[in-house]
Amino acid sequence: MKTGYSKQAQLKEWEGYFTYLKDKNKFIIKKILDDPIVKVEHRGGNNKLAHADKMDEMLTYILSKQEE
């Protein structure tokens, strides 16, 4: 496991996915969350795909038509 700020950041990120108990050198997972909190990355400018939302809509439409 990393030390310093990296370790603190990783432990904080884990809290979005599960609750845990630290016992000396062990991490005991107590509960896995049903709806994990997704980490949003804000480094490096705009990482969002320009047409991602439209692509999702189009794929959903195509897949729904295949089921009919």
Side-chain angles (χ1 to χ4, degrees), residues 23-55:
D23 180 25
K24 297 180 186 176
N25 290 331
K26 295 188 288 186
F27 287 90
I28 301 168
I29 296 175
K30 294 172 67 177
K31 180 181 178 188
I32 297 175
L33 301 178
D34 293 331
D35 296 321
I37 300 169
V38 179
K39 180 181 176 185
V40 178
E41 193 67 45
H42 292 291
R43 296 180 291 173
N46 188 1
N47 292 331
K48 192 174 184 184
L49 293 175
H51 304 288
D53 294 334
K54 293 287 182 187
M55 288 171 58

